[in-house]
Every structure is written in structure tokens, then in C-alpha cells.
């Protein structure tokens, strides 16, 4: 979401005559678009921000803006902590970035701004084949560990007509894939529901449609049916579980039990053949006993995700969980995280190996990060595949015979068209 917010700010500023600088040293304006989801991200930001202090000393005319969730969380206090910061722009106000940086220094724009959903912004995107498309902003869920409802505000959905117009225009420009973005896309609510929105987008004919993130409680049968039936909607669902323990899920205020979550998983698997399912997991939530942790490991074994994002619990000021008794040492959290990641690596490898000898369609994204002589693409199920690169252009669809599976990717041989 932050990456796309940056694309939007870049688009607005480009319209004002700005161009992307090669380095901070050569820039007239530096914007930090910050993430507050975990403490580590926030610390990283502060250490990078500190480096711009010298820059500002050398060239006082450089403008420094801080956008995103840390901006919203710290508010004007940030001016006290880093007096060389000129502008503070919360995530609900990024559409006003041009006015802000054109105005008086030491301005903070932090209102709960619901106009964001109805303001059209021409994003300057990082890719010419894949595009993020916001469908809603904010979140109403208040999971006890999460700062997002406090920084991005309450849920507000974009009008369906605006979303459809944006995707139609992307398709006309040659984009092959869109990812619909929202903190909880399943609760999208305008004149139509999220499954209805998917059906309308599918009818536009853009080749691939993805969406993130789904909240397990709101994932409806109607949505599963849409994923199963619609030819352009990819067979991949990211469904964060966070923990396998009933007690911990309740303390997290997630609104489902492990058993209820499993019912959804079974339903998805029975209706969407070859679907890949991924999730987020938190290790060491306050009060998590070794038994709760074992239940998470048991859940991972039982579900067999294609991949997970797992992190150590990190207290966020202002959230309910930050007030809970957090007696698990950092060492223990690391140990639990290590066990989770190790188990999942084995599961992912096993799942990837099952694809050896099959043919998968990939959308070619460009040269591989690890070996520039190879091309990299993704399957509909969002698995990374590398192939020998002769004759395939970025944005083309290629049928690949999968020869080898690794922990995080597959490799294979393109089949003749
Ligand atoms: S659903 Fe929960 S974890 Fe996700 S953004 Fe909302 S509050 Fe945070």
C-alpha cells in the first residue's frame, strides 16, 4: 500500500514539474513515505531521516517531508524531534502533497480526510505491466496489535465507477495485471460488494486480477465462488491467520477461531482447484504460551500454506496489545519465529516440488534479480519462476515446463508457442 501511495505522490509531483532525483544529495525535495506497522520499520526511518540533517545544513533550501503512518502517529511532535523536517503528511492526505509542499514550512496535514477515496490521482507507476489499484482505505477492525486503524482511519471505499475506469485505462495502456488494494478488501462497500466488483473488473478483459488483503472473517462464499468462476481472477488468496491458538486469536481480537478459519480454507480448496494460499503469522504475541506456539505450528502443518510472512510481535504504542503483559523475551520470540520459518520452508519446498514436471503459465516481469541472464515471471498462483531469457519480452505470457523447485522459486524451460 505504501509503495502505491508513493506512486501517487510521484504522479502528483510529476504533474507539478518535479522529476525523480538520482540521489538525496541532488534532490530539491525529499519525501519519506513511512511505515509504522512494526518497530523495526520505524527505527529504520529515523536512522535515514537523521542522515538528511547534514544535507539540510549544507543546503537549507532542500525541503524535507515525512508522509505515511509514522507521520500520522508522531504528529507535530516530529518537528520537535527533527526540527529540519518541513512538512508532515498523514496517509489520508497524500493527495494534497503538492499544496502542502508549496505552502508554509512546518505544516502538518493530519486530518481524517475521507475525500481521499473520491479524489482521482494519476499515479506514476513503477511497472508498465503490473499495477496496484486502491479500492478502499482504512480499516474498522482494530486487531489488538495493529496500528493501521489509528493511522489510516476508518474504512472508506472508492466508487466502483472510478475503479473500473482506472482499470479500463490501464488495460488500454497495455497493463496485464492489476492488484486490488485494501486493508480488508472483503469489506469493500460502495454501490456494489467486492465479489460484484470482481465480476465487473473481470468483464473488462485485463488478463490477471489479484487482490490483497482478505480478512478471514469477511471472506464470503460469494467471493470464493467469484475466484473459482472468473477466468481473469488468479488462483491465489492471501488469508492472514496470525496464530493457531483460540486464546491468542481472541486476545488479538481477530474475530474468528482456528476452527472457523479452517472451514474457510477447506471451502476455498474444494471450490478453487490448484489454488495457492498464503498467510501472515505473528510469533510471540503477549501471553503466548509454548502451547499456543505449538498450536500455530500445528496449524501450519495442517493447512500447508504455499508461503507465509512471519514476524516477531512488536508492540505499537496506542494499541490494546501494547498494554498487555508482554513477558516473552526477545530471545524466545526469535526462537519461535525461527521454528515457524523453518517449518514453513519445508512445507513451501514440498509444495513447490509438487509442481516439477507440470506446465505453468507465467507473466514475464523482466530480468531475474539473482541472475540477469534469466527472465523472471510469476504463475497465476503468484510463484516466482525463472527461465532462460531468449526471445521473450516483458509483459508476455509464456508456458513453462517446470524442471526444478527451490524454497522461494521455480525454474523451467519455456515451451514453444
Ligand atoms: S484487519 Fe486487523 S491487522 Fe489488518 S489492517 Fe485492520 S486492524 Fe490491522
Amino acid at each position: 500500500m505504501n509503495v502505491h501511495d508513493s506512486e501517487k505522490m510521484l504522479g502528483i509531483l510529476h504533474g507539478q514539474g518535479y522529476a525523480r532525483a538520482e540521489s538525496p544529495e541532488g534532490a530539491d525535495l525529499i519525501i519519506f513515505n513511512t511505515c509504522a506497522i512494526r518497530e523495526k520499520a520505524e527505527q529504520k526511518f529515523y536512522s535515514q531521516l537523521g542522515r538528511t540533517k547534514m544535507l539540510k545544513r549544507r543546503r537549507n533550501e532542500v525541503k524535507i517531508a515525512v508522509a505515511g503512518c509514522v507521520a500520522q502517529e508522531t504528529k507535530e511532535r516530529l518537528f520537535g524531534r527533527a526540527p529540519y523536517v518541513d512538512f508532515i503528511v498523514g496517509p489520508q492526505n497524500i493527495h494534497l502533497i503538492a499544496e502542502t509542499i508549496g505552502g508554509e514550512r512546518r505544516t502538518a496535514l493530519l486530518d481524517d480526510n475521507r475525500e481521499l477515496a473520491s479524489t482521482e490521482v494519476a499515479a506514476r507507476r513503477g511497472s508498465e505491466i503490473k499495477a496496484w489499484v486502491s479500492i478502499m482505505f482504512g480499516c474498522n477492525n482494530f486487531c489488538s496489535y495493529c496500528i493501521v486503524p489509528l493511522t489510516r482511519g476508518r474504512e472508506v471505499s472508492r466508487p466502483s465507477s472510478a475503479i473500473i475506469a482506472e482499470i479500463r485505462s490501464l488495460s488500454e495502456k497495455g497493463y496485464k495485471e492489476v492488484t486490488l488494494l485494501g486493508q480488508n478488501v472483503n469489506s469493500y462497500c460502495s454501490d456494489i460488494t467486492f465479489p460484484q466488483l470482481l465480476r465487473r473488473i473481470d468483464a473488462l478483459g485485463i488478463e490477471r486480477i489479484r487482490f490483497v488483503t482478505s480478512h478471514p472473517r469477511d471472506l464470503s462464499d460469494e467471493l470464493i465462488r467469484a475466484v473459482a468462476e472468473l477466468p481473469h481472477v488468479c488462483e491465489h488468496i492471501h488469508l492472514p491467520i496470525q496464530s493457531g491458538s483460540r486464546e491468542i486469536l481472541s486476545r488479538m481480537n481477530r474475530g474468528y477461531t482456528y476452527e472457523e478459519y479452517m472451514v474457510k480454507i477447506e471451502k476455498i480448496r474444494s471450490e478453487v482447484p490448484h489454488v495457492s494460499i498464503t498467510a501472515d503469522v505473528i510469533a510471540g504475541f503477549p501471553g503466548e504460551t509454548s502451547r499456543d506456539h505449538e498450536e500455530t505450528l500445528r496449524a501450519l502443518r495442517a493447512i500447508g500454506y504455499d508461503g507465509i510472512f512471519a514476524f516477531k510481535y512488536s508492540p505499537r504504542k496506542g494499541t490494546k496489545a501494547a498494554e498487555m503483559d508482554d513477558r516473552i523475551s526477545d530471545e524466545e520470540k526469535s526462537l519461535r519465529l525461527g521454528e515457524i520459518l523453518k517449518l514453513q520452508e519445508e512445507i513451501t519446498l514440498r509444495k513447490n516440488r509438487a509442481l516439477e514436471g507440470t506446465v505453468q503459465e507465467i507473466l514475464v516481469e523482466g530480468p531475474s534479480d539473482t541472475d540477469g541472464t534469466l527472465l523472471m515471471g510469476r504463475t497465476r498462483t503468484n510463484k516466482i519462476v525463472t527461465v532462460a531469457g531468449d526471445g521473450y519480452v516483458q509483459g508476455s505470457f509464456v508456458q513453462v515446463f517446470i524442471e526444478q523447485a527451490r524454497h522461494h522459486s521455480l525454474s523451467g524451460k519455456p515451451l514453444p508457442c
Side-chain angles (χ1 to χ4, degrees):
M1 194 157 291
N2 263 29
V3 171
H4 189 39
D5 282 352
S6 296
E7 291 178 337
K8 289 178 193 167
M9 287 191 277
L10 206 59
I12 295 169
L13 293 171
H14 192 79
Q16 301 284 314
Y18 279 88
R20 196 197 267 269
E22 291 297 319
S23 68
E25 286 71 27
D28 301 314
L29 165 69
I30 299 172
I31 304 177
F32 288 89
N33 192 15
T34 59
C35 172
I37 198 90
R38 292 186 307 130
E39 203 175 355
K40 206 167 163 192
E42 205 169 322
Q43 285 165 355
K44 255 191 190 166
F45 152 65
Y46 280 117
S47 90
Q48 289 197 16
L49 179 67
R51 281 184 228 143
T52 57
K53 189 173 164 182
M54 292 307 292
L55 227 144
K56 185 89 171 181
R57 248 187 223 157
R58 283 201 301 272
R59 285 196 299 133
N60 189 42
E61 67 278 14
V62 178
K63 292 177 181 175
I64 298 177
V66 178
C69 288
V70 179
Q72 189 70 33
E73 188 193 7
T74 350
K75 304 194 167 40
E76 285 87 350
R77 290 192 306 278
L78 189 57
F79 288 135
R81 179 169 179 166
Y84 44 93
V85 168
D86 298 297
F87 307 102
I88 300 174
V89 188
Q92 298 169 74
N93 291 281
I94 55 161
H95 58 298
L96 302 173
I97 185 80
E99 291 89 318
T100 314
I101 59 159
E104 291 218 349
R105 292 195 177 201
R106 290 178 82 81
T107 300
L109 224 64
L110 299 161
D111 296 342
D112 184 7
N113 197 335
R114 302 182 72 81
E115 270 170 32
L116 178 63
S118 50
T119 307
E120 290 311 304
V121 172
R124 205 164 161 79
R125 299 175 194 274
S127 162
E128 288 172 359
I129 54 167
K130 293 169 42 158
W132 305 104
V133 175
S134 302
I135 65 163
M136 60 189 297
F137 305 90
C139 184
N140 291 348
N141 280 320
F142 289 94
C143 300
S144 64
Y145 52 83
C146 183
I147 197 155
V148 167
L150 307 178
T151 56
R152 287 190 178 263
R154 297 299 86 76
E155 275 175 15
V156 48
S157 296
R158 258 180 96 191
S160 62
S161 54
I163 298 168
I164 287 161
E166 182 175 351
I167 296 174
R168 182 178 288 121
S169 143
L170 288 166
S171 178
E172 284 164 4
K173 286 180 188 144
Y175 279 82
K176 305 286 189 252
E177 179 178 308
V178 287
T179 301
L180 311 179
L181 281 180
Q183 243 72 43
N184 176 15
V185 288
N186 308 142
S187 63
Y188 173 83
C189 176
S190 66
D191 52 323
I192 54 176
T193 64
F194 182 57
Q196 289 166 341
L197 178 69
L198 275 182
R199 287 184 187 277
R200 297 234 184 127
I201 297 170
D202 190 77
L204 297 173
I206 192 154
E207 284 86 344
R208 285 186 175 184
I209 303 163
R210 302 186 187 277
F211 55 89
V212 277
T213 291
S214 294
H215 191 292
R217 191 198 45 216
D218 301 324
L219 184 104
S220 63
D221 289 357
E222 196 191 346
L223 174 60
I224 298 174
R225 221 169 14 255
V227 177
E229 287 173 7
L230 299 175
H232 302 112
V233 176
C234 292
E235 298 79 14
H236 170 220
I237 296 187
H238 185 69
L239 198 64
I241 184 170
Q242 308 299 11
S243 170
S245 151
R246 175 184 282 257
E247 171 62 23
I248 295 301
L249 285 171
S250 154
R251 287 166 70 90
M252 286 177 167
N253 193 30
R254 288 291 288 172
Y256 54 85
T257 62
Y258 169 65
E259 289 73 21
E260 286 163 348
Y261 182 92
M262 279 307 275
V263 169
K264 306 255 172 168
I265 293 284
E266 278 155 20
K267 180 109 192 153
I268 295 168
R269 290 220 164 111
S270 72
E271 295 209 17
V272 188
H274 312 298
V275 68
S276 79
I277 304 178
T278 53
D280 300 333
V281 177
I282 296 174
F285 185 79
E288 185 188 76
T289 61
S290 40
R291 193 169 156 192
D292 295 320
H293 170 60
E294 280 303 322
E295 287 183 352
T296 298
L297 296 176
R298 185 200 60 183
L300 296 184
R301 283 188 208 100
I303 295 162
Y305 290 112
D306 291 80
I308 59 166
F309 296 99
F311 301 99
K312 278 192 280 187
Y313 168 72
S314 160
R316 308 283 57 220
K317 212 167 153 220
T319 62
K320 281 251 165 64
E323 291 158 22
M324 293 177 190
D325 201 359
D326 182 13
R327 294 213 190 141
I328 307 167
S329 67
D330 196 54
E331 201 186 348
E332 180 61 27
K333 285 180 194 166
S334 299
L335 215 78
R336 292 182 189 177
L337 176 66
E339 285 179 6
I340 288 169
L341 292 173
K342 183 167 176 288
L343 171 62
Q344 185 55 46
E345 281 230 331
E346 290 162 16
I347 297 169
T348 302
L349 185 60
R350 196 177 68 230
K351 300 215 76 155
N352 285 351
R353 283 207 174 124
L355 296 174
E356 285 176 349
T358 66
V359 174
Q360 303 287 325
E361 178 200 77
I362 66 161
L363 169 59
V364 176
E365 292 182 17
S368 155
D369 285 343
T370 48
D371 179 348
T373 64
L374 300 176
L375 285 177
M376 184 284 263
R378 279 173 204 267
T379 62
R380 286 174 62 95
T381 52
N382 211 28
K383 293 188 187 270
I384 293 174
V385 179
T386 53
V387 288
D390 280 355
Y392 298 99
V393 290
Q394 211 181 34
S396 55
F397 288 93
V398 179
Q399 299 294 324
V400 178
F401 179 76
I402 304 298
E403 293 177 311
Q404 202 191 352
R406 287 180 290 271
H407 280 112
H408 302 291
S409 65
L410 307 161
S411 59
K413 203 168 54 195
L415 295 180
C417 314

